[in-house]
Amino acid sequence: MIQGCENMQIDPLPRRAPRVSYRTGTAAGALAEAGTLAVFGFGSGSPAADDPRYVRVALESFDAPVPMEVWQVDAPVNCGTDGALQWSAGGGWLFAAIDLDEREHGGPSATARLAYEQLHRFVTAHDMQHVLRIWNYLGAINRGEGDAERYKHFCDGRAAGMGDFFAEGFPAATAIGHHGDEHGLQVYLLACDQPGQRVENPRQVSAWRYPRQYGRTPPSFARAMNLPGRDALAISGTAAVVGHASAHHDDLDAQLEETFINLETLLASAGLAAGFDTHSPLKTYVRHAADAPRVRDFLRHRLPGVPVLLLHGDICRSELLVEIDGWRYV
């Protein structure tokens, strides 16, 4: 005999992934649409907006007109600010962003620590505590030699600020150098009330296991993240790294080919079919502006019809010329 129970717990349905798209138009128009969780403008020419869901990213685009990036969910969205943080939430999803000036907080390490401490505090106060994807943009990322490089200081500060933020495992992530105010640090994230599944690349050493030559503190991220509904893969910044070493120093074409081998390996590791389609938006970060036309031609040949946002950004290793991240929807 099976006894009934009015308080039987039913597992919630997996959260449908936010829809990410690139589009032209106005930020106000995108923000006015139902379910808009976040909107991103790129570069100094992007419009300003007071809405907490809007972020002006300090990366210049090689595209004209410059598209916006829009995140949307299937639910009403609330938004607000909390000190230096801006945030929005809806349908089990949480967006949070912080923009800090290093001159006010003691340099790159101390500023990264503060940013992660504040994000940690904010996220743990909400139901959406599973951080699935995070972006970091900092100025002059490769300035300095050895352990004095700014990126390595950022990694030190990030780790110090994490605490137990990612006790269940690291999120997918990107860290890119912008060409805006060199003292500016921007960090934003996507979290959910359901966990995702981390994906590693068998061709690469996991980032948190990098040897000492890459700094006192290894980078802290997963190569990709399957979102809770297994309906989208969030892909971390991916470049021409094999094992833990950079490949094809200063050879743009070879680095692009190696990067695509890594991307396809990630798709296979996540159990997805090969290739990208018109619903899989990607960002491509290009170190040297003069390389942008060659990169664009390569991508148009390799990814016909795939939405790609081409941005001017420095890769975390000075010998790397290009990096790609984005989304692969099922």
Side-chain angles (χ1 to χ4, degrees):
M1 179 177 179
I2 300 175
Q3 297 193 2
C5 177
E6 291 183 352
N7 296 321
M8 183 181 294
Q9 296 296 312
I10 301 175
D11 290 337
L13 292 174
R15 296 294 185 190
R16 182 183 175 190
R19 297 179 301 282
V20 178
S21 62
Y22 303 145
R23 64 169 88 165
T24 56
T26 67
L31 290 164
E33 295 178 16
T36 296
L37 188 70
V39 176
F40 304 89
F42 294 91
S44 57
S46 58
D50 293 331
D51 194 300
R53 297 171 295 165
Y54 180 78
V55 174
R56 179 191 280 174
V57 178
L59 291 169
E60 300 295 333
S61 172
F62 294 112
D63 300 304
V66 179
M68 300 175 296
E69 181 176 350
V70 182
W71 297 359
Q72 294 181 306
V73 297
D74 296 319
V77 172
N78 297 317
C79 62
T81 58
D82 184 337
L85 283 169
Q86 55 194 91
W87 63 270
S88 63
W93 295 96
L94 174 69
F95 158 74
I98 189 166
D99 195 332
L100 297 175
D101 187 327
E102 294 174 2
R103 291 168 293 194
E104 299 174 3
H105 303 291
S109 180
T111 305
R113 177 172 183 162
L114 178 62
Y116 273 79
E117 286 174 344
Q118 293 198 16
L119 287 166
H120 185 187
R121 173 190 58 79
F122 182 79
V123 170
T124 54
H126 293 77
D127 293 334
M128 296 75 77
Q129 296 188 8
H130 301 284
V131 178
L132 305 179
R133 185 66 170 89
I134 195 159
W135 291 258
N136 309 273
Y137 299 127
L138 58 152
I141 191 171
N142 301 129
R143 181 178 297 168
E145 298 295 328
D147 285 346
E149 185 186 43
R150 283 173 52 80
Y151 175 62
K152 295 183 176 65
H153 281 295
F154 164 80
C155 288
D156 292 341
R158 171 171 58 180
M162 282 180 183
D164 62 352
F165 197 9
F166 306 131
E168 63 181 19
F170 295 119
T174 295
I176 287 289
H178 64 70
H179 292 266
D181 184 336
E182 69 178 65
H183 303 288
L185 171 65
Q186 293 183 304
V187 184
Y188 60 88
L189 60 78
L190 177 68
C192 188
D193 60 359
Q194 298 175 353
Q197 181 184 50
R198 286 152 190 84
V199 178
E200 289 299 308
N201 183 343
R203 301 183 77 238
Q204 297 177 317
V205 174
S206 294
W208 63 89
R209 293 176 175 161
Y210 279 176
R212 176 63 177 83
Q213 70 194 77
Y214 298 104
R216 292 177 295 265
T217 308
S220 305
F221 65 93
R223 298 293 180 185
M225 179 74 72
N226 258 321
L227 298 195
R230 303 298 186 265
D231 54 350
L233 183 71
I235 301 170
S236 295
T238 302
V241 173
V242 181
H244 59 74
S246 301
H248 316 297
H249 287 217
D250 300 320
D251 184 333
L252 177 62
D253 294 332
Q255 286 192 21
L256 283 164
E257 292 289 351
E258 197 72 62
T259 298
F260 269 86
I261 294 173
N262 281 329
L263 289 171
E264 292 293 352
T265 304
L266 271 177
L267 296 183
S269 295
L272 299 176
F276 295 86
D277 58 25
T278 57
H279 303 291
S280 300
L282 301 175
K283 289 192 191 76
T284 300
Y285 307 94
V286 181
R287 177 180 294 277
H288 301 303
D291 288 340
R294 284 173 60 198
V295 174
R296 181 181 283 111
D297 288 345
F298 179 95
L299 295 172
R300 284 175 175 169
H301 175 75
R302 181 62 66 90
L303 301 172
V306 174
V308 178
L309 187 58
L310 204 60
L311 299 169
H312 191 195
D314 291 337
I315 321 307
C316 63
R317 299 184 186 182
S318 59
E319 68 273 12
L320 293 175
L321 305 175
V322 65
E323 181 170 306
I324 298 174
D325 69 17
W327 307 85
R328 169 59 155 76
Y329 286 85
V330 176

